[in-house]
Amino acid sequence: MDVRSFVRALPKAELHLHLEGALEPEMLMRLARRNKVGIPFRTVEEIRAAYRFSELQDFLDIYYRGMDVLRTEEDFHDLTAAYLERAAADGAVHVELFFDPQGHTGRGIPFAVAADGILAALADGRERQGVTSLLIMCVLRHLSEEEGFAAFREAGPYIADGRIAGLGLDSSEKDHPPAKFERLFAAAREAGLRLVAHAGEEGPASYVADAVDRLGVDRIDHGNRALEDPALVRRLAGRGIALTVCPLSNLRLCGVPDMRQHPLKRMLDAGLKATVNSDDPAYFGGYLVDNFVAVAEALDLDRADLVTLARNSIEGSFLDEAAKQGHLDGIARSAGADG
Ligand code: HPA
Ligand code: ZN
């Protein structure tokens, strides 16, 4: 069996996916027409050609511009449904999705328009594809903590009944350390949310340590630069804190010049609970299995490594223990079936 088929057949969870980053150029064009939103592109090829970035901020500028075509509940539903279809085809059995409510409320789209559209599609996905899901709202770290609190308060009813399960931290990392959001994360923990934060993508290893120590996160998004601090690596490994690594994204934004130099294998060898994810697949050129295949081929990962990565994605998820065990058994069956 080839790597792609083997990986596709393994039950897996995707834990680092920005819904707005799954907006494919075709859908961007279609929604621009549907909503009569002016965009500076005439063709899908022109959009793809504009995806030239080598720094996080250059990417974010295009990403925020792109999401402007998302206006109605139906738009958010369609975007989420399209992603779920791809994820299910890639053998994802569970997804934990990010969305950026402030990216929408900041341009006049009510919180509920985004959240309700996304949640309706997630409910469909559970029913039709059998893919379970949790929704994580991210706060934009280039904005103030007070603005983050405003988004958190707007989410109140969704948090109270579990429709929003977690809080994350994304956007421009440089000069926006985790400590800026310490009070917000304390309030979110108090409200029962699971906590994650982007750290060590462009920021230093100390931001990873601070996300763990000051924000109390359950999981680190990216975390690549944690490798610069061996004592921190030992602590993350010892505590089993999962890292949601995104190989194709890293190639563009994380200073990985060539996939053969990607740190994933080093992370596994150091005992880190690393997982593979797609981040913003419409912008970085691949979905879940594409990320697995790219890094597996470049680093010559063997079947045992791939099984470990699939297991890590389940163990690092926020599923309950019974659901985790069910999927781990599924991975063992799938890996065993290949002999
Ligand atoms: N990093 C930070 N913020 C983001 C990203 C990312 O990779 N994708 C969407 N928002
Ligand atoms: Zn991300």
Side-chain angles (χ1 to χ4, degrees):
M1 204 191 281
D2 66 10
V3 175
R4 182 169 288 273
S5 311
F6 180 75
V7 167
R8 194 184 284 128
L10 285 174
K12 306 171 283 304
E14 174 142 65
L15 306 178
H16 186 157
L17 181 284
H18 302 263
L19 261 180
E20 298 89 342
L23 180 61
E24 291 287 345
E26 290 78 6
M27 186 176 285
L28 195 155
M29 296 273 292
R30 186 154 57 77
L31 297 185
R33 269 198 302 275
R34 181 155 99 185
N35 295 325
K36 302 188 172 43
V37 177
I39 52 168
F41 308 108
R42 280 165 308 166
T43 64
V44 163
E45 290 68 33
E46 279 185 20
I47 298 177
R48 284 197 204 284
Y51 292 174
R52 277 178 273 109
F53 30 73
S54 53
E55 301 231 352
L56 180 56
Q57 194 57 53
D58 297 338
F59 156 69
L60 289 169
D61 291 344
I62 295 176
Y63 166 85
Y64 293 122
R65 179 117 55 86
M67 70 172 77
D68 189 37
V69 302
L70 296 164
R71 299 289 172 100
T72 67
E73 216 174 291
E74 187 186 7
D75 299 339
F76 286 93
H77 175 280
D78 291 356
L79 172 63
T80 308
Y83 163 69
L84 280 176
E85 199 164 307
R86 294 294 301 259
D90 274 356
V93 291
H94 176 69
V95 295
E96 299 187 357
L97 304 171
F98 299 137
F99 79 121
D100 285 329
Q102 292 160 294
H104 311 304
T105 54
R107 55 190 179 82
I109 309 299
F111 185 97
V113 165
D116 292 351
I118 295 167
L119 288 163
L122 294 180
D124 286 349
R126 240 167 267 141
E127 207 149 284
R128 291 200 197 132
Q129 286 132 337
V131 177
T132 59
S133 48
L134 292 172
L135 185 57
I136 297 174
M137 61 177 280
C138 285
V139 292
L140 302 180
R141 67 201 303 158
H142 66 275
L143 301 179
S144 69
E145 185 180 43
E146 196 36 61
E147 288 166 294
F149 262 110
F152 174 65
R153 280 192 291 270
E154 274 192 280
Y158 295 82
I159 294 169
D161 64 12
R163 282 175 291 168
I164 288 181
L167 179 74
L169 186 62
D170 66 0
S171 184
S172 325
E173 190 180 357
K174 218 179 282 172
D175 302 325
H176 300 288
K180 180 176 165 185
F181 296 93
E182 208 166 328
R183 288 168 307 162
L184 175 60
F185 273 67
R189 185 179 324 111
E190 192 69 19
L193 288 177
R194 307 305 299 257
L195 306 177
V196 300
H198 282 56
E201 181 185 23
E202 66 175 3
S206 65
Y207 283 20
V208 178
D210 283 354
V212 172
D213 298 330
R214 300 182 68 153
L215 302 185
V217 297
D218 300 293
R219 199 158 74 201
I220 292 286
D221 295 313
H222 295 296
N224 299 42
R225 292 193 60 193
L227 290 174
E228 295 168 18
D229 179 347
L232 173 62
V233 168
R234 283 193 294 276
R235 215 146 59 83
L236 295 171
R239 286 185 50 184
I241 293 180
L243 305 186
T244 63
V245 181
C246 306
L248 290 170
S249 167
N250 293 160
L251 215 47
R252 306 292 296 277
L253 305 184
C254 227
V256 178
D258 179 309
M259 200 59 98
R260 283 170 298 184
Q261 290 172 49
H262 192 281
L264 185 70
K265 180 69 176 154
R266 278 186 281 138
M267 290 171 165
L268 292 176
D269 290 345
L272 289 167
K273 198 184 282 294
T275 64
V276 169
N277 307 272
S278 67
D279 206 4
D280 301 279
Y283 291 91
F284 300 133
Y287 285 78
L288 187 55
V289 167
D290 301 317
N291 275 274
F292 267 92
V293 170
V295 77
E297 288 181 342
L299 300 182
D300 215 8
L301 300 183
D302 60 21
R303 300 271 151 120
D305 293 324
L306 297 171
V307 168
T308 297
L309 289 165
R311 288 182 60 88
N312 288 352
S313 75
I314 299 299
E315 288 171 355
S317 76
F318 297 140
L319 286 166
D320 64 34
E321 291 307 317
K324 284 185 184 180
Q325 195 53 56
H327 291 314
L328 293 174
D329 292 346
I331 291 170
R333 278 195 301 275
S334 176
D338 188 45

